[in-house]
Amino acid sequence: MRGGNPLEETWVSVVTEVGFPIAVTFYLLHRIEGKLNQLIESIHALPEKMK
């Protein structure tokens, strides 16, 4: 590689090793994980807000 971002190099190697569809799936799962954690926290806080 030409001295690029290490994260970019990691993604390129993942795509090369496992294929594009699997790499996209991992990327989307990583992105949605934070949103799911926020949703879970909101659901847990809901009973307190309903009092």
Side-chain angles (χ1 to χ4, degrees):
M1 292 241 120
R2 46 184 165 112
N5 182 350
L7 184 59
E8 184 179 306
E9 291 178 15
T10 301
W11 278 108
V12 170
S13 74
V14 167
V15 170
T16 303
E17 290 176 21
V18 297
F20 182 74
I22 294 173
V24 169
T25 301
F26 283 135
Y27 172 74
L28 293 175
L29 286 172
H30 176 72
R31 291 274 320 243
I32 201 170
E33 180 183 12
K35 294 177 182 155
L36 286 174
N37 288 336
Q38 288 178 343
L39 180 62
I40 290 168
E41 289 174 13
S42 297
I43 291 171
H44 284 266
L46 192 58
E48 290 294 322
K49 293 184 177 184
M50 294 183 73
K51 286 184 181 180

